[in-house]
Amino acid sequence: MKLTVPHMGLLANAYTNVLREHGVNMHPPPKPTIKTLNLGVRYSPEYACLPFKINLGNMIEALEEGVDSILMPGGYGPCRFGYYSVIQENILRRLGYNFSMTRTDNPDSLADMIKTIRSISNIKSKKDGYLVFYLILMRMAAFDKIESLYFRIKPREINRGETDRAYTECVKIIEESKGYLKLLKAFNQANSIMKDVKIDRKCRPLKIGILGEIFVIIEPFANMDVERKLARMGVEVVRGVWLSDWLNDRFRFKPFKPHQNRLSCKWAYPYLKYPSGGESIETVGKTLKFYKEKIDGVIHIMPFTCMPELVASTILQRISNDLNYPILSLTFDEHVSEANLQTRLEAFVDLLERKKKKKEIVYAWLSGN
């Protein structure tokens, strides 16, 4: 069995080596490219969202490379994602591919995840299944922590490109670690490498919060690398959605970390009283949180036709008007142009810089400086 799982940020880096050690012939698909997207668009239903199309293109590329098994989460919720795997399997079989599709019936259930891992590997006991699954989760959390450090350090770096080189080295170190103790050692080493990057400590960059649909935020190809574009423009990105947080809300592998979804329900009140699917409650709740934390503005990212984020988008317009808070909504599909995106980002950053400068002038005048 040669198994693949569609690409999603650094997720493949978290599970591939771990599962290979337990007898799984893992074959991560190539990173998404225009070819991947074109394949997905060609064979997807017109109404399908961007994550569906990129996933489908990924599967076709992997099958062309000799993969004969696909693992895809299924079940219900958090949006149409729950039935992606069923439709994608149907499309691929009509295209003539011969493969087996393994899907988790309930990706929110720990028992179901362990059952899936045992079914694709040589792991016999439930205890070993739990240990392996929690190791993958801890590796994902380590990658997220290093990426958050990257976003904080990058706009302050003194030597151009040093943060990118450090980040690439850190990802490799964590990816090659084996077992819990070596992961801890690798994380400490990676943390030191990132903190050794020379920075301008007097630099006070603009801070922009990134919120929205989880796949489009986490997979750089899906959002045309918005976060790194902003970082290169000297902006500190404060991402509000992390895959490890999403997993922790379900499996509590970091028991002392607050439940992000429940907190977001509290923060979102009274603008949104109940979750409306996907990450909508977190988008609304964390926008209000970022406003209170004096983050300069928010960029809301979503795929075209995403219903939960459309609900959030409507509410964000009210929040922006009520609080005079800058919010930019970006919708992604196969028709978005990179030049157009760059222009919109530059205009938004320019607006925030002027607003920040105006505040500083008023503050200086009031304080008599």
Side-chain angles (χ1 to χ4, degrees):
M1 181 177 72
K2 200 171 180 181
L3 181 73
T4 195
V5 183
H7 220 277
M8 184 178 178
L10 291 174
L11 180 60
N13 303 64
Y15 64 71
T16 300
N17 285 348
V18 177
L19 292 178
R20 277 179 181 161
E21 285 174 31
H22 292 278
V24 185
N25 186 6
M26 285 301 306
H27 182 87
K31 284 188 177 179
T33 60
I34 292 295
K35 182 188 167 193
T36 315
L37 181 59
N38 288 341
L39 281 169
V41 169
R42 187 182 306 162
Y43 299 113
S44 297
E46 191 181 359
Y47 60 83
C49 62
L50 189 63
F52 181 100
K53 293 168 184 171
I54 293 176
N55 282 176
L56 184 65
N58 251 184
M59 291 173 182
I60 293 173
E61 286 180 314
L63 289 167
E64 291 291 339
E65 290 180 0
V67 160
D68 56 17
S69 297
I70 298 171
L71 173 61
M72 185 73 184
Y76 59 86
C79 55
R80 293 180 293 180
F81 176 79
Y83 58 81
Y84 275 10
S85 61
V86 177
I87 299 172
Q88 286 162 340
E89 181 179 3
N90 206 359
I91 293 170
L92 293 171
R93 295 211 185 282
R94 285 185 185 181
L95 290 174
Y97 291 107
N98 186 22
F99 64 99
S100 64
M101 176 75 91
T102 304
R103 63 176 63 85
T104 50
D105 291 333
N106 182 1
D108 290 348
S109 158
L110 180 58
D112 202 55
M113 293 302 291
I114 302 304
K115 184 181 166 188
T116 304
I117 285 181
R118 290 176 66 199
S119 71
I120 60 172
S121 67
N122 58 15
I123 297 170
K124 302 294 180 194
S125 71
K126 278 188 184 178
K127 180 188 167 188
D128 289 342
Y130 282 104
L131 287 173
V132 166
F133 183 57
Y134 273 79
L135 178 60
I136 293 171
L137 298 179
M138 295 301 287
R139 283 165 63 93
M140 195 63 242
F143 284 128
D144 281 355
K145 180 65 182 171
I146 294 302
E147 196 164 16
S148 72
L149 277 176
Y150 170 87
F151 291 135
R152 188 156 62 84
I153 293 168
K154 177 69 180 171
R156 296 175 172 87
E157 71 180 2
I158 292 173
N159 302 316
R160 195 171 178 181
E162 190 179 355
T163 319
D164 298 86
R165 290 191 290 277
Y167 174 74
T168 305
E169 186 183 351
C170 292
V171 169
K172 193 175 176 190
I173 288 170
I174 294 171
E175 189 175 9
E176 290 177 353
S177 66
K178 293 180 180 178
Y180 284 91
L181 286 177
K182 288 186 178 172
L183 172 62
L184 179 62
K185 192 177 169 186
F187 175 71
N188 288 337
Q189 187 185 350
N191 204 32
S192 299
I193 290 170
M194 291 302 291
K195 289 184 176 174
D196 282 345
V197 173
K198 289 178 184 168
I199 59 170
D200 177 0
R201 297 189 183 280
K202 291 180 182 174
C203 176
R204 296 286 180 271
L206 276 179
K207 291 185 181 180
I208 296 182
I210 301 290
L211 293 165
E213 196 274 335
I214 190 166
F215 181 91
V216 178
I217 288 182
I218 288 171
E219 175 50 55
F221 176 77
N223 62 46
M224 295 185 171
D225 225 352
V226 161
E227 292 171 323
R228 279 167 179 74
K229 277 186 171 66
L230 289 168
R232 286 195 287 271
M233 291 161 68
V235 172
E236 181 178 343
V237 168
V238 185
R239 192 195 280 177
V241 179
W242 294 95
L243 185 54
S244 59
D245 284 346
W246 189 90
L247 292 164
N248 190 49
D249 279 358
R250 284 147 184 83
F251 306 118
R252 304 305 298 157
F253 63 99
K254 293 189 289 181
F256 299 110
K257 174 128 188 174
H259 196 290
Q260 295 298 298
N261 193 266
R262 286 179 198 150
L263 273 180
S264 298
C265 290
K266 189 177 164 188
W267 294 327
Y269 190 88
Y271 283 94
L272 183 59
K273 296 178 183 174
Y274 306 100
S276 56
E279 285 71 49
S280 57
I281 195 76
E282 295 200 16
T283 299
V284 175
K286 289 187 177 177
T287 295
L288 292 164
K289 175 176 171 276
F290 284 163
Y291 170 75
K292 287 177 186 170
E293 290 175 349
K294 300 193 184 304
I295 301 293
D296 296 292
V298 163
I299 294 182
H300 174 224
I301 295 176
M302 64 176 181
F304 184 60
T305 74
C306 176
M307 291 305 292
E309 292 304 324
L310 272 174
V311 172
S313 179
T314 308
I315 297 168
L316 292 189
Q317 287 174 27
R318 276 185 55 208
I319 293 174
S320 180
N321 291 335
D322 290 353
L323 306 176
N324 188 27
Y325 190 46
I327 300 173
L328 173 67
S329 278
L330 297 174
T331 305
F332 287 88
D333 68 3
E334 64 273 20
H335 301 296
V336 173
S337 123
E338 191 146 6
N340 178 273
L341 175 67
Q342 185 69 31
T343 305
R344 294 188 70 190
L345 291 178
E346 286 175 4
F348 189 62
V349 169
D350 186 52
L351 180 147
L352 295 183
E353 278 174 347
R354 281 189 284 116
K355 193 173 179 195
K356 188 175 182 181
K357 202 169 282 182
K358 197 174 170 184
K359 270 187 191 172
E360 286 171 355
I361 291 169
V362 171
Y363 178 76
W365 182 74
L366 288 173
S367 58
N369 295 324

